């Protein structure tokens, strides 16, 4: 709906303004000697009142022509055409209403309009409609600008939220509090180890924060983060947790979204190593070949079924992020056998362009 | 030393992290009336040791591999003298608060630890009735069924369960072509299972709808559910109505 129609106060002012226009027209008619005051007002007032609402239609015309994709010729044609049509309607209305005066007490037209007078009347209708179009155009442009500003602010908030969400899921509170508990235990009998673990924990979080707001990082940076993570987990789980990282030199320079490898290691520990009495070895292999970067993580698992709720979340998260960045060019596949879990990510092998 | 009413309390520490167990040991050291009788690094071991040692106090971590702390309680029937420890587990913490069960949040201070210990000592038998409700975990459907078979514990994923039959005080759980016996009432099991996949078709039978192959009719009134393994399960009249609504 037109914004004026929704606001009674504004609408009242608008109608009053039109009554002024009507008084002006009546005054002109009076000056031209075409009519007396009574006739002139009886002629102008109702017509202006009707036209006041006809003119509001220009709002929809302006809205139908988005500011961003306009051609001047088209705008001129639409505005001109619309004004012309309205002015014709206004002229028709004027002559009809005027003629109705014959049915009134004076049994004569309300005003004695000359042909020149009708031409002026028609032009006034044209100009009024054109003015309405221009005024509305400014209004619509302003509105759409406001919407655009708001939308941009919203999308920035959304992006920020997504980033925070990622941090919150990646910085697993269970991991953080258990690590602090291990440090608390170490302080009384191995202060040196407690200090090292504190530093690893700080390094891990510092790197996570640094990497998280970048779109992509090198595999080498991601691996460095994982080394701190593994150092912490090895203190927690002791000899049970072993890891072999085999990162081919040409793969180390390849780019991938941050926090892609780390959650895989976290899963491998949580769902694999922790459940085994004697622990096991997590094997990470990364290679770049034929334009593709392949990162594979393999870990042993115990026989017990894992609750589905815990299994899927992390992997679904990675899959979504990869899809958003690479579309169909990224692949993530996993397979669980009776004794081990294998997961492999394939991405286009891209490197940072030399500065 | 072993005077009645003043004997030493026997404690079991259950946590899969060596450092976490060590911390509990350290905090227990000044309490001379407490003797540590064992340590377990996973839930299965805890089930066994709780049964064998019957400790007065159990320090029980919630998030453990194999079996969670709550599953350990479910299997052992242990309800009193339990001090829960957890680093972070929204589900568990919500449940603790709901049932007014005391718990230690890692990392905890010595003062907090002593406090929990004092409370566990005075409450003795039975501890908060909340523990019972905590273990029953009403509301959220279970994802695995735990069955204790002498020394062994079977963990069965619910999606592999074909049907469950009440047999006296036991339930016969049919999964992967094997039958497991579990002491439980069928109505209780029915409440714990996801009603979208499991349906009580008879006073004594719950079936997994994923295994349903067809419904056989015998005479005018009697119906049987035909399951994937070929097993035929009787359907009561009300069970038949419920089944018709589901499939």
């Amino acid at each position: 709906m037109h914004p004026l129609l929704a606001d009674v106060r504004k609408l009242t002012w608008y109608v009053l303004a039109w009554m002024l226009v009507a008084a002006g027209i009546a005054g002109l008619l009076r000056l031209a000697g075409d009519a007396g005051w009574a006739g002139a007002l009886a002629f102008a007032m109702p017509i202006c009142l009707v036209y006041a609402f006809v003119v509001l239609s220009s709002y929809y015309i302006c809205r139908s022509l988005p500011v961003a994709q306009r051609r001047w010729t088209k705008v001129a044609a639409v505005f001109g055409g619309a004004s012309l049509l309205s002015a014709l309607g206004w002229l028709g209305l004027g002559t009809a209403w005027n003629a109705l005066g014959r049915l009134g007490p004076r049994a004569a037209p309300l005003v004695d309009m000359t042909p020149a007078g009708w031409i002026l009347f028609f032009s006034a209708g044209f100009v009024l409609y054109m003015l309405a179009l221009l005024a509305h155009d400014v209004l619509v442009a302003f509105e759409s600008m406001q919407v655009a500003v708001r939308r941009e602010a919203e999308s920035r908030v959304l992006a920020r939220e997504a980033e925070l969400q990622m941090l919150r899921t990646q910085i697993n509170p269970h991991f953080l509090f258990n690590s602090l508990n291990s440090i608390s235990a170490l302080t009384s009998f191995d202060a040196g180890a407690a200090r090292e673990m504190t530093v690893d924990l700080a390094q891990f979080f510092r790197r996570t924060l640094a990497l998280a707001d970048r779109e992509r990082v090198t595999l080498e940076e991601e691996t460095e983060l994982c080394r701190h993570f593994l150092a912490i987990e090895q203190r927690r789980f002791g000899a049970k947790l072993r890891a072999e990282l085999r990162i081919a030199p040409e793969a180390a320079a390849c780019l991938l979204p941050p926090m892609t490898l780390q959650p895989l290691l976290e899963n491998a520990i949580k769902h694999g190593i922790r459940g085994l009495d004697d622990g096991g070895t997590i094997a990470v292999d990364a290679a770049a070949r034929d334009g593709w970067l392949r990162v594979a993580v393999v870990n042993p698992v115990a026989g017990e079924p894992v609750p589905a709720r815990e299994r899927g979340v992390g992997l679904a998260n990675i899959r979504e992020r990869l899809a958003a960045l690479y579309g169909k060019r990224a692949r993530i596949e996993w397979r669980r056998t009776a004794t081990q879990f294998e997961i492999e990510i394939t991405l286009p092998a891209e490197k940072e362009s030399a500065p | 030393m072993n005077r009645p009413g003043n004997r030493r309390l026997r404690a079991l520490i259950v946590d899969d992290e060596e450092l976490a167990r060590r911390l509990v040991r350290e905090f227990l050291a000044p309490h001379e009336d407490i003797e540590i009788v064992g340590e377990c690094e996973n839930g299965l071991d805890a089930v066994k040791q709780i049964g064998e040692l019957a400790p007065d106090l159990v320090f029980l971590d919630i998030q453990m591999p194999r079996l969670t702390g709550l599953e350990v309680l479910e299997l052992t029937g242990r309800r009193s003298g339990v001090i829960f420890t957890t680093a972070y587990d929204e589900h568990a913490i919500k449940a603790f608060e709901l049932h007014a069960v005391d718990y230690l949040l890692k990392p905890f201070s010595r003062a907090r630890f002593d406090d929990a210990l004092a409370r566990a000592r005075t409450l003795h038998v039975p501890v908060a009735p909340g523990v019972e409700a905590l273990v029953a975990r009403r509301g959220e459907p279970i994802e695995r069924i735990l069955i204790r078979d002498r020394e062994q514990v079977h963990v069965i994923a619910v999606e592999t369960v074909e049907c469950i039959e009440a047999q006296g005080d036991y339930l016969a759980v049919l999964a992967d072509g094997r039958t497991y016996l579990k002491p439980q009432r069928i109505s209780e099991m029915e409440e714990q299972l996801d009603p979208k996949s499991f349906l009580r078709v008879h006073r004594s039978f719950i079936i997994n709808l994923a295994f349903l192959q067809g419904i056989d009719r015998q005479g005018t009134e009697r119906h049987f559910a035909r399951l994937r393994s070929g097993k035929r399960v009787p359907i009561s009249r009300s069970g038949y109505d419920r089944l018709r609504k589901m499939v």
Side-chain angles (χ1 to χ4, degrees), chain B:
Chain B
M1 213 36 219
N2 235 346
R3 280 171 297 162
N6 196 19
R7 67 186 184 91
R8 296 183 80 189
L9 290 175
R10 303 166 67 251
L12 181 70
I13 303 172
V14 185
D15 198 306
D16 73 314
E17 293 182 33
E18 157 66 23
L19 288 173
R21 292 196 302 273
R22 191 159 177 163
L23 186 71
V24 173
R25 270 206 317 265
E26 185 195 327
F27 281 178
L28 278 177
H31 297 271
E32 285 177 356
D33 60 330
I34 292 177
E35 174 194 2
I36 298 165
V37 290
E39 289 185 23
C40 313
E41 54 176 62
N42 64 58
L44 287 179
D45 202 23
V47 170
K48 207 170 137 217
Q49 301 235 29
I50 289 175
E52 284 172 5
L53 302 170
D56 303 299
L57 277 176
V58 181
F59 292 89
L60 187 59
D61 186 29
I62 295 296
Q63 284 225 342
M64 277 184 303
R66 302 252 173 126
L67 296 176
T68 69
L70 294 180
E71 287 171 335
V72 168
L73 295 188
E74 183 192 333
L75 280 168
T76 53
R78 172 101 193 185
R79 297 295 181 267
S80 60
V82 179
I83 296 177
F84 294 100
T85 61
T86 184
Y88 181 87
D89 182 330
E90 273 175 297
H91 286 284
I93 290 171
K94 224 179 278 169
F96 289 146
E97 298 292 348
L98 184 68
H99 301 300
V101 172
D102 197 23
Y103 59 96
L104 287 172
L105 271 182
K106 294 178 193 171
F108 40 80
S109 65
R110 187 186 287 276
R112 179 70 189 84
F113 180 87
D114 289 347
D115 193 39
L117 190 60
R119 211 166 317 179
R121 258 198 279 226
T122 52
L123 286 174
H124 236 49
V125 201
V127 162
V131 179
E132 186 64 52
L134 190 65
V135 174
R137 270 172 302 164
R138 303 201 196 290
E140 218 175 303
I142 54 171
E143 285 176 331
R144 15 194 238 175
I145 293 175
L146 308 173
I147 287 162
R148 198 173 172 191
D149 177 10
R150 288 198 194 88
E151 287 307 295
Q152 244 188 324
V153 171
H154 302 284
V155 182
I156 304 166
V158 288
E159 55 281 11
T160 65
V161 173
E162 188 162 357
C163 78
I164 298 168
E165 180 182 0
Q167 293 180 352
D169 295 337
Y170 284 83
L171 293 177
V173 178
L174 181 64
D176 287 331
R178 281 192 61 185
T179 303
Y180 304 88
L181 288 179
K182 182 179 169 76
Q184 195 176 17
R185 285 202 316 275
I186 194 165
S187 54
E188 195 181 290
M189 177 62 86
E190 187 189 2
E191 268 175 44
Q192 291 178 342
L193 291 167
D194 183 0
K196 285 198 279 292
S197 342
F198 288 88
L199 186 71
R200 177 100 172 257
V201 293
H202 186 273
R203 196 162 46 86
S204 311
F205 287 96
I206 295 173
I207 62 165
N208 184 345
L209 294 173
F211 284 82
L212 181 66
Q213 300 267 303
I215 299 172
D216 295 339
R217 201 184 171 123
Q218 202 169 66
T220 49
E221 289 285 285
R222 289 166 62 79
H223 292 92
F224 288 88
R226 192 158 25 82
L227 302 181
R228 204 181 292 165
S229 67
K231 188 175 169 74
R232 290 174 84 229
V233 171
I235 304 176
S236 66
R237 193 176 303 184
S238 61
Y240 184 70
D241 293 340
R242 264 173 296 181
L243 192 57
R244 287 287 299 274
K245 251 178 255 164
M246 299 279 294
V247 291

Side-chain angles (χ1 to χ4, degrees), chain A residues 100-268:
Chain A
L100 274 177
R102 289 176 203 284
L103 303 176
R106 279 176 59 227
L110 294 169
V111 291
D112 298 318
M113 200 76 106
T114 58
W118 282 120
I119 289 174
L120 270 175
F121 180 74
F122 173 79
S123 309
F126 185 89
V127 168
L128 283 169
Y129 199 86
M130 186 58 92
L131 281 175
L133 276 170
L134 295 176
H136 276 111
D137 209 33
V138 172
L139 175 78
V140 167
F142 184 67
E143 263 181 7
S144 65
M145 195 177 74
Q146 273 184 322
V147 168
V149 167
R150 198 166 52 226
R151 204 170 288 161
E152 200 193 331
E154 271 169 16
S155 74
R156 224 175 308 149
V157 168
L158 278 180
R160 186 91 197 121
E161 265 172 18
E163 197 181 293
L164 283 176
Q165 187 57 41
M166 181 178 122
L167 278 176
R168 218 171 289 142
T169 48
Q170 302 307 354
I171 299 179
N172 176 349
H174 195 257
F175 164 71
L176 172 62
F177 293 128
N178 268 317
S179 301
L180 290 174
N181 195 54
S182 303
I183 293 172
S184 166
L186 282 169
T187 45
S188 64
F189 70 94
D190 191 346
R195 178 173 302 154
E196 271 169 42
M197 194 165 174
T198 312
V199 172
D200 273 322
L201 196 60
Q203 286 286 354
F204 173 71
F205 279 98
R206 211 187 299 285
R207 278 174 184 272
T208 304
L209 289 168
L211 297 191
D213 54 47
R214 285 166 54 190
E215 194 167 274
R216 294 195 296 170
V217 300
T218 63
L219 179 59
E220 191 169 7
E221 291 170 299
E222 175 84 7
T223 311
E224 202 44 46
L225 176 111
C226 291
R227 283 189 215 281
H228 288 294
F229 175 71
L230 286 170
I232 297 164
E233 295 291 71
Q234 273 168 335
R235 290 233 186 264
R236 282 177 60 199
F237 298 110
K240 273 177 80 171
L241 172 59
R242 296 175 292 279
E244 287 171 10
L245 274 65
R246 290 180 287 265
I247 313 288
E250 72 277 9
C254 288
L255 294 170
L256 77 174
M259 311 302 278
T260 304
L261 180 56
Q262 188 270 339
L264 300 186
L265 298 182
E266 196 170 322
N267 277 349

